[in-house]
C-alpha cells in the first residue's frame, strides 16, 4: 500500500489555520505581509505567524510560507531579514516561484525546505529536474498537466516531492497569467493583488452587427459567467492521483471562509483515510464525499486538466450553484463550566427553535434544536442576529473548540 499523501490546506488567517488542523489537515500554507500571491487575504502578522507555527508543531503538523510573487528589484529590500525571521520562527518551508528569490533563500536560509510554486509553471520533467538539482525539496506542478504527464515527471525525479492542486477554484488564465486586473486598475495579479475582474459585469458588442450581449455574475445562480471555470474536484479520483506519484494533495482557497476550509478538509481527510483503510469503502462512499463538497455552493465540478484538456463543459456559463451558502452559523469557542453552556462566535443569524447541526471532524455530526440562547451578560435572548456576536447556547452533546454549528442541510431530490 502506498504512503498516505499529505493533505495541505489553505489558511488565510490564524483562525483558519487552527480550523484546518482541527478538521484533519497535515499542513497549511499561509502568507505573511510580504511576498505572497494573495494580497487581498488577511494574511499573518509576525506574531500570528509565530503562534500559528507553534500551534502546528504542537500537533505534529507543518506550516509553509508563500513567497511566490514574481519579484521586482524593490521587492528584495528587506527580503533576507524576512527569510531569517521565518527560519527563526520555525517555518517548515518557503514556497517560491522566482529564480532570484530562490537563489537568495538558498544563500540566506540554506537549511529551510524550498518548494517551487505552481506560479513557476513547471510542466515537464526537465524543469522539475532543474529545480531538484538546484536544491528544491518539492515542486508544485502547474495545473495544466494530465495525470499521465505527472506520472512521467514522477518517474524522472522520483525523490522530488510532487504537490498538486486537487480541489478549488481554477483561474481562467493559463497558470494564473492574467493581465486584466493590471490593465484595468494597475493591480498586478502576479504580484498578489488580483481584483478578479473576470467576475465583473461586462457588455460584449459584436462589431459587425452592433449586437450587444450583457455578461454578468448574477445573484443566486442566474446569469452568464463568460470567464468562469468550474471548480476543480478530484475527491473521486484519489487512486489515480496516488498512482501518478502526487505526494501532497493541495486545496485552494486562502480567501475562503473557515467553514469552507473545515468542510473541504474534513471531506478529503475522510476520503483519504477511508481509501487507505479499505478501498472498497472509499468506492462505496464516493457519492457521500461529492455531496458533502457540493453543499458548499458548487453545483458541478471539473477534473481540470487531469484527464485531458478542458472543454466548454468545464466552464460554468450559467452559474450552476445549487446549495445554500448560509449554512455556517457559529464557531465553538469554549464551555462555561459553571453553566454547561457553550460560548460560540456567530457568523450567520440563528434563533431559538432552529434545527441546527453540530459539524465535527469525524462522522459524528449531531442534529438538535436550539432551546436556550443567552447573550454575553447571561440574559436570555431569542436570536443571535449580529455578525461575530458571542453568545452562549445549550448543546446537548459534547463539542470541542473549532467545532461548527450550521443549519441542517436538507438534500433536495
Amino acid at each position: 500500500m502506498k504512503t498516505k499523501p499529505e493533505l495541505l490546506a489553505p489558511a488565510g488567517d490564524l483562525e483558519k489555520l487552527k480550523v484546518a488542523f482541527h478538521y484533519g489537515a497535515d499542513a497549511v500554507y499561509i502568507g505573511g505581509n510580504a511576498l505572497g500571491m494573495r494580497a487581498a487575504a488577511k494574511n499573518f502578522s509576525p506574531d500570528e505567524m509565530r503562534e500559528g507555527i507553534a500551534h502546528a508543531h504542537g500537533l505534529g503538523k507543518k506550516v509553509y510560507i508563500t513567497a511566490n510573487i514574481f519579484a521586482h528589484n524593490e521587492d528584495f529590500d528587506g527580503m533576507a531579514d524576512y527569510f531569517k525571521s521565518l527560519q527563526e520562527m520555525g517555518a517548515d518551508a518557503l514556497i517560491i516561484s522566482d529564480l532570484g528569490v530562490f537563489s537568495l533563500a538558498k544563500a540566506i536560509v540554506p537549511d529551510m525546505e524550498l518548494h517551487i510554486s505552481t506560479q513557476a509553471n513547471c510542466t515537464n520533467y526537465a524543469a522539475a529536474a532543474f529545480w531538484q538539482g538546484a536544491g528544491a525539496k518539492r515542486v508544485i506542478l502547474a495545473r495544466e498537466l494530465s495525470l499521465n504527464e505527472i506520472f512521467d515527471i514522477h518517474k524522472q525525479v522520483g525523490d522530488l516531492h510532487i504537490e498538486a492542486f486537487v480541489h478549488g477554484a481554477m483561474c481562467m488564465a493559463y497558470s494564473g497569467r492574467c493581465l486584466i486586473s493590471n490593465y484595468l486598475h494597475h493591480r498586478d495579479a502576479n504580484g498578489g493583488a488580483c481584483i478578479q475582474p473576470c467576475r465583473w459585469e461586462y457588455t460584449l458588442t459584436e462589431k459587425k452587427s452592433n449586437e450587444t450581449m450583457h455578461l454578468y455574475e448574477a445573484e443566486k445562480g442566474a446569469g452568464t459567467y463568460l470567464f468562469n471555470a468550474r471548480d476543480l474536484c478530484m475527491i473521486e479520483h484519489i487512486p489515480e492521483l496516488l498512482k501518478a506519484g502526487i505526494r501532497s494533495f493541495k486545496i485552494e482557497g486562502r480567501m475562503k471562509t473557515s467553514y469552507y476550509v473545515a468542510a473541504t478538509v474534513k471531506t478529503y481527510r475522510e476520503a483519504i483515510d477511508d481509501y487507505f483503510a479499505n478501498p472498497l469503502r472509499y468506492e462505496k462512499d464516493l457519492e457521500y464525499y461529492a455531496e458533502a463538497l457540493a453543499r458548499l455552493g458548487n453545483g458541478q465540478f471539473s477534473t481540470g486538466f487531469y484527464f485531458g484538456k478542458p472543454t466548454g463543459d468545464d466552464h460554468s456559463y450559467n452559474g450552476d450553484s445549487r446549495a445554500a451558502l448560509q449554512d455556517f452559523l457559529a464557531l465553538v469557542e469554549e464551555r462555561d463550566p459553571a453553566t454547561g453552556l457553550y460560548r460560540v462566535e456567530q457568523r450567520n443569524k440563528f434563533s431559538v427553535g432552529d434545527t441546527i447541526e453540530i459539524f465535527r471532524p469525524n462522522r459524528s455530526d449531531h442534529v438538535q434544536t436550539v432551546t436556550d440562547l443567552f447573550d454575553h451578560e447571561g440574559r436570555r435572548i431569542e436570536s443571535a442576529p449580529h455578525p461575530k456576536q458571542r453568545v452562549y447556547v445549550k448543546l446537548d452533546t459534547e463539542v470541542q473548540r473549532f467545532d461548527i454549528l450550521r443549519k441542517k442541510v436538507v438534500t433536495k431530490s
Side-chain angles (χ1 to χ4, degrees):
M1 178 63 73
K2 294 179 180 290
T3 303
K4 277 189 183 181
E6 174 187 81
L7 181 57
L8 178 56
D13 57 36
L14 189 57
E15 176 186 286
K16 293 169 190 173
L17 176 147
K18 294 179 179 180
V19 165
F21 288 134
H22 181 65
Y23 283 87
D26 298 307
V28 298
Y29 59 102
I30 71 174
N33 292 325
L35 307 181
M37 284 293 294
R38 284 294 181 267
K42 291 182 181 179
N43 292 323
F44 286 68
S45 69
D47 287 343
E48 288 172 332
M49 285 178 128
R50 194 179 303 276
E51 181 180 344
I53 292 168
H55 179 80
H57 290 176
L59 298 171
K61 308 295 181 76
K62 295 182 178 182
V63 177
Y64 308 141
I65 313 296
T66 60
N68 59 340
I69 64 167
F70 292 109
H72 290 255
N73 293 332
E74 61 269 22
D75 293 316
F76 286 86
D77 295 340
M79 188 183 295
D81 289 338
Y82 178 59
F83 287 165
K84 288 178 183 177
S85 72
L86 294 178
Q87 182 180 54
E88 184 273 328
M89 292 177 193
D92 294 285
L94 293 173
I95 303 173
I96 294 173
S97 60
D98 183 270
L99 274 168
V101 175
F102 182 90
S103 177
L104 178 66
K106 285 293 293 179
I108 297 299
V109 286
D111 296 327
M112 281 192 72
E113 280 192 16
L114 301 183
H115 297 178
I116 304 307
S117 171
T118 190
Q119 292 294 319
N121 196 30
C122 183
T123 58
N124 59 76
Y125 60 79
F130 166 81
W131 287 116
Q132 184 180 36
K137 179 70 173 179
R138 175 184 299 193
V139 62
I140 307 159
L141 294 177
R143 302 192 197 198
E144 295 79 16
L145 292 176
S146 69
L147 287 169
N148 287 336
E149 290 175 303
I150 293 171
F151 180 66
D152 288 342
I153 292 172
H154 169 63
K155 286 192 299 183
Q156 295 287 335
V157 289
D159 292 336
L160 181 67
H161 289 194
I162 291 178
E163 177 182 314
F165 283 94
V166 300
H167 193 91
M170 294 285 285
C171 182
M172 51 81 70
Y174 191 92
S175 287
R177 284 165 168 74
C178 178
L179 298 178
I180 303 176
S181 180
N182 209 337
Y183 178 79
L184 293 177
H185 280 273
H186 307 290
R187 296 282 298 273
D188 188 3
N190 291 309
C194 182
I195 52 176
Q196 294 188 307
C198 54
R199 304 293 191 262
W200 291 359
E201 179 179 350
Y202 291 92
T203 298
L204 176 68
T205 302
E206 199 285 311
K207 187 174 181 180
K208 190 173 183 179
S209 66
N210 204 35
E211 182 179 353
T212 299
M213 179 173 64
H214 293 280
L215 311 170
Y216 55 93
E217 181 179 16
E219 297 179 356
K220 298 181 180 179
T224 302
Y225 299 68
L226 184 65
F227 303 121
N228 193 41
R230 287 180 177 165
D231 280 7
L232 175 68
C233 179
M234 291 295 287
I235 196 78
E236 299 179 47
H237 302 285
I238 286 175
E240 294 97 317
L241 295 170
L242 293 170
K243 184 177 179 181
I246 299 171
R247 298 179 65 171
S248 180
F249 289 6
K250 188 170 192 174
I251 297 169
E252 182 276 338
R254 274 198 289 143
M255 295 177 66
K256 297 290 183 68
T257 67
S258 293
Y259 174 55
Y260 174 90
V261 172
T264 309
V265 168
K266 173 182 173 177
T267 306
Y268 275 87
R269 177 79 278 152
E270 289 180 349
I272 292 168
D273 290 349
D274 287 349
Y275 176 75
F276 277 83
N278 185 347
L280 292 179
R281 177 179 177 178
Y282 165 77
E283 293 289 340
K284 175 178 173 292
D285 283 350
L286 289 179
E287 186 175 345
Y288 161 80
Y289 310 134
E291 176 61 23
L293 294 171
R295 289 180 182 182
L296 294 173
N298 298 291
Q300 297 185 45
F301 290 107
S302 165
T303 55
F305 290 78
Y306 281 118
F307 297 100
K309 292 183 179 179
T311 67
D313 292 335
D314 294 297
H315 283 71
S316 177
Y317 298 112
N318 297 315
D320 53 11
S321 177
R322 67 179 177 85
L325 298 178
Q326 301 300 317
D327 285 338
F328 185 14
L329 301 180
L331 191 67
V332 173
E333 293 189 333
E334 66 178 4
R335 181 179 180 273
D336 182 347
T339 64
L341 300 173
Y342 285 92
R343 189 182 74 200
V344 303
E345 185 180 85
Q346 183 262 32
R347 297 302 166 88
N348 283 288
K349 180 181 177 180
F350 66 102
S351 306
V352 172
D354 283 353
T355 298
I356 63 170
E357 187 175 19
I358 298 169
F359 187 67
R360 298 186 275 205
N362 52 34
R363 293 197 189 189
S364 61
D365 297 345
H366 175 81
V367 177
Q368 72 164 80
T369 299
V370 178
T371 58
D372 297 282
L373 198 57
F374 301 86
D375 67 14
H376 68 286
E377 294 182 349
R379 295 173 298 197
R380 187 177 292 273
I381 55 178
E382 291 301 312
S383 67
H386 306 299
K388 296 288 183 91
Q389 176 182 7
R390 284 182 167 84
V391 297
Y392 290 86
V393 59
K394 181 180 178 181
L395 301 176
D396 53 24
T397 187
E398 185 176 345
V399 299
Q400 298 179 354
R401 176 81 169 100
F402 303 117
D403 285 353
I404 284 172
L405 308 186
R406 66 179 186 179
K407 286 183 180 178
K408 183 175 183 294
V409 176
V410 178
T411 304
K412 296 180 180 179
S413 57

